[in-house]
């Protein structure tokens, strides 16, 4: 009956890791308000171990966008950068126990936002990661856009 | 948990008087109105009575009112029936960009079948551009269709003026009055309306019953073919109890019109005033001057509407949104787009509609809850309210 399952509703009503880290090691913004969803993610990384020690997010968007942002932060805290880069949209949706089909393409931007933040970290710290190979921060790979929505790309503001 | 329904433009509960009037027509007086024995005649009389009640509400003659299966059917019937009837005269329709999909999607269908359609724009306040209608008229124009009250922003359109313009050029005028019925005075003859769509479930009647007012002599081609019901204009065994309910609802709407408008608009104004007082960065869409008495269409900046809707629902409050994210098509509201509201703001727009069972306490609860929810979502939002968009 409900639009979303209990896990999605829980992450939407009580999102984890909301906020913004001061002086983050990496920051990524993905999506745009015109498209209806925009996620910002800030990360702290232990340079020696490459472990992501803290993640905070802020999201403009619908229930599934907020829930998937929250879930994604939980999935990468404590993971190495390589492990975090391996997280896919599909895994986030699976962890959430599924999303309504119409929500799949429009609101799961978390994996892109994570990549944007890690890309920023890699740039600033002169690091390279296999998972970032071929990653183009300017790319627009979301082909099903709302009208008048000029595809999202990493935004460095 | 407290339940507050604030989506009366989506549908209304059936009033007890209406239900009471309907029930005998399911069980005791269940006859087929076309039958010639007593059961049938009773049923026929009940439909005649309902037709009179609805006709009275809109200032029409009863023979000019045809019951349908919905407001959508009345819209479809008009567009298909008029373009067919007048196909030798022309093949052009003028309508607006803010019509209900029952009009817009029917027009799109007709366009695939050789009919030209001009979609006229609206001013930022939601009123239709009459000069654009005038400019769009050609010698092929057979119909102008402009809704009386818009379902999203509640703006009341100057249909009398538009009807005059249509008639000056010998063109028929239709109005979709599904939202207007019972919410603003209507006199079809005085307003110069040739065809008008109505629906029972927006005026405390049952779902699945509508009506088309068609002025004597207009004679749009039939849309549903079969038996000779509705004096040969619309086949289908009548939705007897539904029609009885529509009639009763129309009678109540007429009796209560003034007080309904007064009460709803004062509650609605209180809602808007409280929201503006307690929640920063809000925008009211559509003119406040000529407006549906229950409608408040409000943008909450920097957040998304489906999130607001879900959190309100969690607190027992029902509203609707213009956000693309909650529409099945994933397109932002075509109405707010036509008003020129920027897409990012459309996403954060909520429609509240109050009605006969709304109380001041309901509004206080909604505003208090809304203030918390908007504050919370702005904390979560990646759009910084201090910096703005
Ligand atoms: C303006 C307008 N026209 C038509 C309709 C369709 O009416 P119905 O639900 O009876 O098909 C609606 C209902 O949402 C409406 O608001």
């Amino acid at each position: 009956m409900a639009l979303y399952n209990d896990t999605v509703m829980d992450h939407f009503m009580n999102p984890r890791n909301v906020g913004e880290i001061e002086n983050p090691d990496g920051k990524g913004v993905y999506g745009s308000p015109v498209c209806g969803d925009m996620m910002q993610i800030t990360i702290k990384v232990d340079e020696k171990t490459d472990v992501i020690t803290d993640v905070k997010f802020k999201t403009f968007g619908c229930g599934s966008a907020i829930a998937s942002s929250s879930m994604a932060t939980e999935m990468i805290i404590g993971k190495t950068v390589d492990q975090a880069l391996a997280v896919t949209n599909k895994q986030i949706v699976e962890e959430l126990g599924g999303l309504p089909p119409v929500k799949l393409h429009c609101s799961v931007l978390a994996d892109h936002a994570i990549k944007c933040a890690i890309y920023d970290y890699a740039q600033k710290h002169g690091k390279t990661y296999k998972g970032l190979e071929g990653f183009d921060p300017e790319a627009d790979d979301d082909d099903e856009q709302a009208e008048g929505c000029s595809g999202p790309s990493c935004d460095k503001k | 948990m407290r339940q507050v329904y604030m989506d009366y433009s989506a549908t209304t509960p059936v009033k007890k008087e209406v239900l009471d009037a309907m029930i005998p027509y399911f069980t005791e007086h269940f006859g087929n109105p076309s039958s010639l024995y007593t059961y049938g005649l009773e049923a026929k009389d009940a439909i005649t009575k309902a037709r009179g009640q609805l006709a009275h509400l809109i200032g029409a003659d009863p023979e000019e009112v045809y019951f349908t299966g919905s407001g959508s059917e009345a819209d479809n019937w008009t567009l298909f029936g008029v373009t067919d009837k007048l196909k030798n005269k022309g093949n052009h329709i003028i309508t607006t960009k803010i019509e209900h999909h029952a009009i817009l999607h029917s027009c799109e269908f007709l366009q695939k079948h050789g009919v030209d359609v001009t979609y006229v724009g609206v001013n930022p306040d939601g009123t239709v551009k009459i000069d654009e209608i005038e400019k769009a008229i050609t010698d092929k124009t057979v119909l102008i269709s402009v809704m009386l009250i818009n379902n999203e922003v509640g703006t009341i359109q100057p249909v009398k003026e538009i009807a005059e313009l249509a008639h000056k050029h010998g063109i028929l005028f239709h109005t979709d009055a599904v939202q207007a019925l019972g919410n603003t005075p209507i006199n079809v003859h005085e307003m110069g309306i040739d065809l008008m769509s109505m629906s029972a479930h927006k005026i405390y009647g049952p779902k699945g019953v509508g009506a088309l007012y068609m002025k004597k002599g207009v004679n749009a081609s039939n849309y549903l073919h079969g038996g000779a019901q509705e004096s040969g204009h619309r086949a289908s065994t009548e939705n007897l109890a539904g029609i009885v309910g529509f009639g009763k609802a129309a009678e109540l709407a007429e009796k209560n019109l003034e007080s309904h408008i007064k009460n709803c608009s004062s509650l609605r104004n209180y809602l808007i005033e409280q929201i503006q007082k307690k929640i920063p960065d809000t925008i009211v869409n559509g003119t406040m001057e000529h407006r549906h008495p229950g409608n408040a269409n409000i943008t909450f900046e920097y957040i998304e509407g489906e999130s607001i809707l879900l959190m309100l629902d969690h607190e027992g409050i029902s509203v609707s949104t213009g956000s693309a994210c909650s529409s099945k098509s994933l397109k932002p509201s075509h109405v707010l787009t036509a008003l020129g509201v920027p897409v990012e703001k459309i996403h954060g727009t909520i429609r509240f509609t109050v009605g006969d069972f709304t109380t001041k306490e309901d509004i206080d609860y909604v505003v208090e809850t809304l203030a918390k929810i908007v504050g919370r979502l702005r904390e979560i939002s990646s759009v910084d309210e201090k910096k703005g968009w």
Side-chain angles (χ1 to χ4, degrees):
Chain A
M1 185 211 101
L3 179 58
Y4 297 122
N5 70 39
D6 290 348
T7 312
V8 177
M9 279 310 285
D10 177 39
H11 275 268
F12 168 62
M13 296 300 296
N14 312 293
R16 334 290 199 253
N17 308 311
V18 173
E20 185 168 358
I21 297 171
E22 267 182 61
N23 308 314
D25 295 322
K27 175 173 174 178
V29 179
Y30 189 80
S32 90
V34 173
C35 305
D37 295 295
M38 181 169 79
M39 179 177 181
Q40 170 192 295
I41 201 160
T42 46
I43 54 173
K44 272 270 178 224
V45 183
D46 182 331
E47 258 207 272
K48 270 184 256 130
T49 58
D50 238 18
V51 167
I52 297 172
T53 54
D54 197 11
V55 184
K56 290 260 186 288
F57 86 89
K58 283 191 155 196
T59 290
F60 167 94
C62 57
S64 58
I66 291 173
S68 54
S69 301
S70 164
M71 179 59 87
T73 59
E74 288 225 303
M75 288 167 72
I76 63 167
I77 286 183
K79 298 274 167 64
T80 65
V81 170
D82 280 318
Q83 284 168 333
L85 283 170
V87 170
T88 63
N89 258 346
K90 204 158 160 273
Q91 288 168 337
I92 298 169
V93 174
E94 270 165 23
E95 287 293 318
L96 285 169
L99 283 174
V102 292
K103 294 289 177 182
L104 287 175
H105 80 274
C106 77
S107 39
V108 184
L109 6 80
D111 72 334
H112 284 83
I114 291 167
K115 282 205 173 70
C116 291
I118 293 177
Y119 179 84
D120 181 47
Y121 167 74
Q123 292 278 298
K124 283 182 183 149
H125 296 79
K127 298 209 171 198
T128 52
Y129 295 99
K130 232 181 146 35
L132 281 177
E133 265 172 32
F135 176 75
D136 177 2
E138 310 296 336
D140 157 23
D141 61 359
D142 191 349
D143 50 14
E144 280 185 81
Q145 297 296 333
E147 248 170 276
C149 165
S150 63
S153 55
C154 291
D155 183 354
K156 275 158 242 88
K157 73 182 169 195
Chain B
M1 182 174 46
R2 197 181 173 120
Q3 294 289 335
V4 178
Y5 182 75
M6 259 195 209
D7 203 12
Y8 281 80
S9 275
T11 195
T12 56
V14 173
K15 281 192 175 164
K16 184 165 185 312
E17 300 96 305
V18 172
L19 183 64
D20 288 346
M22 289 171 71
I23 284 175
Y25 290 90
F26 287 109
T27 50
E28 289 165 58
H29 314 298
F30 59 85
N32 186 324
S34 300
S35 302
L36 298 177
Y37 40 79
T38 307
Y39 273 110
L41 300 177
E42 267 173 10
K44 199 176 168 69
D45 284 349
I47 290 178
T48 302
K49 181 178 173 196
R51 200 184 309 283
Q53 287 165 316
L54 181 54
H56 202 267
L57 170 63
I58 61 172
D61 296 337
E63 314 83 74
E64 296 175 312
V65 171
Y66 304 89
F67 288 109
T68 65
S70 65
S72 299
E73 186 194 323
D75 284 344
N76 277 256
W77 181 2
T78 298
L79 295 170
F80 290 89
V82 169
T83 49
D84 179 73
K85 181 78 183 174
L86 300 178
K87 59 177 179 288
N88 293 326
K89 177 177 184 260
N91 65 338
H92 179 229
I93 298 175
I94 301 170
T95 186
T96 79
K97 291 183 177 160
I98 63 166
E99 298 298 311
H100 189 268
H101 284 139
I103 293 286
L104 293 178
H105 290 167
S106 299
C107 283
E108 284 165 24
F109 180 89
L110 285 170
Q111 283 179 292
K112 288 191 223 146
H113 294 268
V115 175
D116 292 329
V117 184
T118 305
Y119 301 93
V120 167
V122 295
N123 297 305
D125 71 357
T127 53
V128 59
K129 291 178 173 161
I130 298 185
D131 54 325
E132 273 194 28
I133 296 180
E134 186 151 28
K135 274 188 238 145
I137 293 173
T138 72
D139 54 1
K140 295 271 178 251
T141 310
V142 293
L143 180 71
I144 297 176
S145 177
V146 177
M147 69 201 319
L148 182 45
I149 296 190
N150 178 267
N151 46 305
E152 287 190 40
V153 288
T155 47
I156 303 180
Q157 304 298 342
V159 300
K160 188 176 178 192
E161 214 178 312
I162 302 166
E164 271 168 28
L165 177 64
H167 294 155
K168 206 171 80 187
H169 295 267
I171 300 166
L172 289 176
F173 178 74
H174 165 258
T175 190
D176 176 338
V178 169
Q179 292 292 339
L181 195 68
N183 283 308
T184 189
I186 299 176
N187 185 304
V188 283
H189 292 161
E190 270 173 28
M191 292 159 94
I193 296 165
D194 298 309
L195 302 108
M196 183 169 87
S197 305
M198 299 165 272
S199 185
H201 74 99
K202 312 282 188 184
I203 64 161
Y204 309 94
K207 293 168 186 54
V209 199
L212 178 66
Y213 155 79
M214 183 157 54
K215 195 178 164 178
K216 265 186 219 102
V218 168
N219 276 320
S221 302
N222 288 0
Y223 177 63
L224 273 182
H225 304 272
Q229 290 91 355
E230 297 298 290
S231 47
H233 286 278
R234 193 237 183 213
S236 293
T237 299
E238 296 87 342
N239 176 358
L240 178 59
I243 289 171
V244 168
F246 196 178
K248 187 68 190 179
E251 182 196 303
L252 293 177
E254 183 170 345
K255 193 173 100 199
N256 301 333
L257 187 64
E258 249 178 74
S259 61
H260 166 83
I261 294 175
K262 198 165 146 268
N263 294 342
C264 288
S265 53
S266 90
L267 285 169
R268 184 271 317 276
N269 293 345
Y270 178 64
L271 172 69
I272 292 180
E273 177 199 297
Q274 288 299 305
I275 287 177
Q276 288 181 326
K277 200 164 118 191
K278 306 231 159 97
I279 307 176
D281 300 320
T282 57
I283 303 160
V284 179
N285 300 301
T287 176
M288 286 306 293
E289 210 178 315
H290 301 286
R291 192 179 186 112
H292 182 293
N295 173 289
N297 184 292
I298 300 179
T299 299
F300 297 91
E301 298 218 70
Y302 319 128
I303 54 179
E304 196 279 330
E306 190 213 69
S307 297
I308 304 173
L309 182 150
L310 282 172
M311 286 199 175
L312 285 173
D313 186 38
H314 198 80
E315 305 297 331
I317 298 166
S318 310
V319 297
S320 72
T321 165
S323 165
C325 274
S326 53
S327 77
K328 290 201 179 78
S329 66
L330 297 175
K331 292 214 179 92
S333 149
H334 66 281
V335 174
L336 296 168
T337 304
L339 261 68
V341 179
V343 188
E344 64 274 21
K345 300 195 187 190
I346 295 177
H347 290 305
T349 300
I350 297 287
R351 179 188 72 180
F352 306 85
T353 32
V354 303
D356 286 354
F357 300 105
T358 310
T359 63
K360 190 164 171 288
E361 290 71 41
D362 287 338
I363 296 192
D364 289 331
Y365 175 67
V366 168
V367 174
E368 185 196 324
T369 310
L370 197 57
K372 280 185 218 146
I373 287 173
V374 170
R376 176 75 182 126
L377 285 169
R378 282 180 179 161
E379 275 167 26
I380 299 173
S381 178
S382 53
V383 181
D384 189 331
E385 58 194 288
K386 283 181 220 90
K387 291 190 203 134
W389 293 102

